[in-house]
Amino acid sequence: MFKKFAAAVLAVAYVSMFLTGCAPANQGQGSSQLSGNEISSSGENTAQPVVFTDALGHEVQVQNPQRVVALMGSFAETWLLAGGELVGVTEDAFSERNLSLPEDIEIVGGVKAPSLEKIIALNADFVILSADTDGQVSMYDSLKAAGINCAYFHVDAFEEYLDMLKICTDITGREDLYQQNGLDVQAQIDAAIARSQGQEQPSVLFIRAFSTGAKAKRADNMTGKMLLDLGCDNIADRHDSLLEDLSMEVIIEEDPDYIFVVTMGSDSQKALDALKEGVQANPAWATLSAVQNGRYIVLPKDLFHYKPNARWGESYEYLADILYPQQ
């Protein structure tokens, strides 16, 4: 009986050695690393760490986080677009973006001053932060001291959103969502930009209006970058004075083909009223070509103030339809 058992064990060992010897040659050193989140036959998650440098220069290593907190509504949406789940968000995820989130999700405060205590209480294992918000930048040492992994991002242009989405989908293992919510959007943008090829360059004035005033913006912000990509001549890029004061003298001299406005703050009407009581109260405003030709346009906030993320292609198409109407 023992001899039969021993023979069976030797047979199994022989078959195992044979199969190992027949393994494909490309399964050599390092070949066991899996991309993204893959599940082994035992049900164990075999996700490999994703290593990257964040917007503040920190080297970050993330591996299959389960309790993620996003401290900006647009970043929360990006994580969701990458196939991730969240346990905590800032209040703008609801008030500005109206994201579809679980009823029991924790609101950890506002973007400018999120609550470190609430984040720690959530047992977060990965926090996504804004590199442009002082109240969040100052949290870094405290998060690390609490043993919480974190990464900072800066997103003002589509390319930066695409970079962030790639990192997030690498973490979640959802390459399909990088294609759907990133590369397919890039194709939309490329098509919109192509409509400007061979066209006369339109001159534009881009204004950001808020309840206490208004300022012109150049190509170093989200909408300004879109206008530049679409072949526009933004007069603020040539007149620094417009960045601090909407000088009617300069505006009349340039007489832009289009005037675009994006409102800031929660009350858009107050911002528009302040604009009317300010620069638009000048009688010369009505003589501008853009005003006379119906090319004074208030742009929708969801596409031109809040980061449009997977709708970035819509933003470019919206502008292209105005600037280069198809016949």
Side-chain angles (χ1 to χ4, degrees), residues 200-257:
E200 184 177 349
Q201 184 181 41
S203 59
V204 301
L205 170 63
F206 171 50
I207 299 173
R208 204 179 256 178
F210 36 97
S211 61
T212 57
K215 291 183 179 180
K217 303 298 291 185
R218 52 172 45 150
D220 58 356
N221 71 96
M222 186 178 79
T223 303
K225 172 67 163 53
M226 293 187 212
L227 292 168
L228 178 66
D229 289 344
L230 288 164
C232 294
D233 168 28
N234 187 339
I235 66 173
D237 287 331
R238 293 184 280 101
H239 295 281
D240 291 344
S241 61
L242 288 174
L243 303 178
E244 296 301 326
D245 178 39
L246 282 178
S247 166
M248 274 304 302
E249 182 179 349
V250 173
I251 297 172
I252 292 170
E253 177 187 348
E254 289 287 346
D255 195 19
D257 298 316

Side-chain angles (χ1 to χ4, degrees), residues 6-40:
V9 170
L10 287 173
V12 171
Y14 177 81
V15 171
S16 177
M17 290 172 64
F18 176 79
L19 292 175
T20 301
C22 293
N26 63 357
Q27 290 187 356
Q29 184 176 350
S31 63
S32 63
Q33 291 196 0
L34 304 175
S35 61
N37 293 343
E38 300 190 19
I39 307 300
S40 69

Side-chain angles (χ1 to χ4, degrees), residues 144-164:
K144 299 303 286 186
I148 300 175
N149 206 359
C150 61
Y152 289 83
F153 293 90
H154 166 83
V155 175
D156 249 350
F158 173 75
E159 292 79 7
E160 292 162 336
Y161 157 75
L162 193 63
D163 288 344
M164 180 179 181

Side-chain angles (χ1 to χ4, degrees), residues 3-327:
K3 289 181 178 179
K4 289 183 179 180
F5 176 77
V9 170
L10 287 173
V12 171
Y14 177 81
V15 171
S16 177
M17 290 172 64
F18 176 79
L19 292 175
T20 301
C22 293
N26 63 357
Q27 290 187 356
Q29 184 176 350
S31 63
S32 63
Q33 291 196 0
L34 304 175
S35 61
N37 293 343
E38 300 190 19
I39 307 300
S40 69
S41 59
S42 65
E44 180 184 357
N45 194 297
T46 57
Q48 294 300 308
V50 174
V51 180
F52 61 96
T53 302
D54 74 4
L56 293 182
H58 307 129
E59 184 174 295
V60 182
Q61 180 172 300
V62 186
Q63 184 174 15
N64 190 32
Q66 297 297 304
R67 299 189 63 78
V68 180
V69 175
L71 301 187
M72 180 174 284
S74 63
F75 292 171
E77 184 177 54
T78 300
W79 181 249
L80 295 175
L81 290 169
E85 296 181 353
L86 293 160
V87 297
V89 294
T90 43
E91 58 83 21
D92 62 312
F94 292 96
S95 63
E96 294 182 358
R97 307 197 79 88
N98 195 30
L99 296 181
S100 178
L101 293 165
E103 290 184 4
D104 61 348
I105 198 163
E106 182 76 21
I107 298 177
V108 297
V111 172
K112 293 184 178 180
S115 169
L116 177 65
E117 291 75 16
K118 287 185 177 181
I119 294 170
I120 293 174
L122 281 171
N123 196 27
D125 57 8
F126 184 46
V127 181
I128 301 171
L129 305 98
S130 167
D132 304 304
T133 307
D134 291 341
Q136 297 191 25
V137 172
S138 64
M139 296 176 69
Y140 179 75
D141 290 337
S142 297
L143 288 170
K144 299 303 286 186
I148 300 175
N149 206 359
C150 61
Y152 289 83
F153 293 90
H154 166 83
V155 175
D156 249 350
F158 173 75
E159 292 79 7
E160 292 162 336
Y161 157 75
L162 193 63
D163 288 344
M164 180 179 181
L165 182 68
K166 181 65 169 69
I167 291 170
C168 291
T169 52
D170 282 349
I171 294 170
T172 61
R174 295 297 303 274
E175 185 178 349
D176 59 317
L177 294 179
Y178 178 64
Q179 177 70 46
Q180 176 183 318
N181 297 317
L183 298 181
D184 289 351
V185 178
Q186 176 73 73
Q188 275 185 283
I189 292 171
D190 291 344
I193 292 174
R195 289 166 59 179
S196 67
Q197 303 305 307
Q199 301 291 324
E200 184 177 349
Q201 184 181 41
S203 59
V204 301
L205 170 63
F206 171 50
I207 299 173
R208 204 179 256 178
F210 36 97
S211 61
T212 57
K215 291 183 179 180
K217 303 298 291 185
R218 52 172 45 150
D220 58 356
N221 71 96
M222 186 178 79
T223 303
K225 172 67 163 53
M226 293 187 212
L227 292 168
L228 178 66
D229 289 344
L230 288 164
C232 294
D233 168 28
N234 187 339
I235 66 173
D237 287 331
R238 293 184 280 101
H239 295 281
D240 291 344
S241 61
L242 288 174
L243 303 178
E244 296 301 326
D245 178 39
L246 282 178
S247 166
M248 274 304 302
E249 182 179 349
V250 173
I251 297 172
I252 292 170
E253 177 187 348
E254 289 287 346
D255 195 19
D257 298 316
Y258 295 87
I259 299 174
F260 294 109
V261 177
V262 170
T263 61
M264 304 282 289
S266 58
D267 193 330
S268 295
Q269 191 55 54
K270 281 187 177 180
L272 293 175
D273 289 344
L275 195 59
K276 289 178 182 178
E277 295 168 4
V279 66
Q280 292 182 25
N282 190 315
W285 179 265
T287 68
L288 295 171
S289 299
V291 176
Q292 293 183 343
N293 296 324
R295 292 178 173 176
Y296 168 76
I297 299 163
V298 179
L299 298 171
K301 293 177 72 170
D302 58 334
L303 293 178
F304 298 99
H305 175 47
Y306 306 134
K307 304 299 184 295
N309 291 340
R311 299 181 66 196
W312 226 296
E314 291 181 46
S315 299
Y316 274 85
E317 288 175 346
Y318 191 100
L319 289 173
D321 287 342
I322 295 171
L323 297 165
Y324 310 107
Q326 295 175 321
Q327 302 300 322

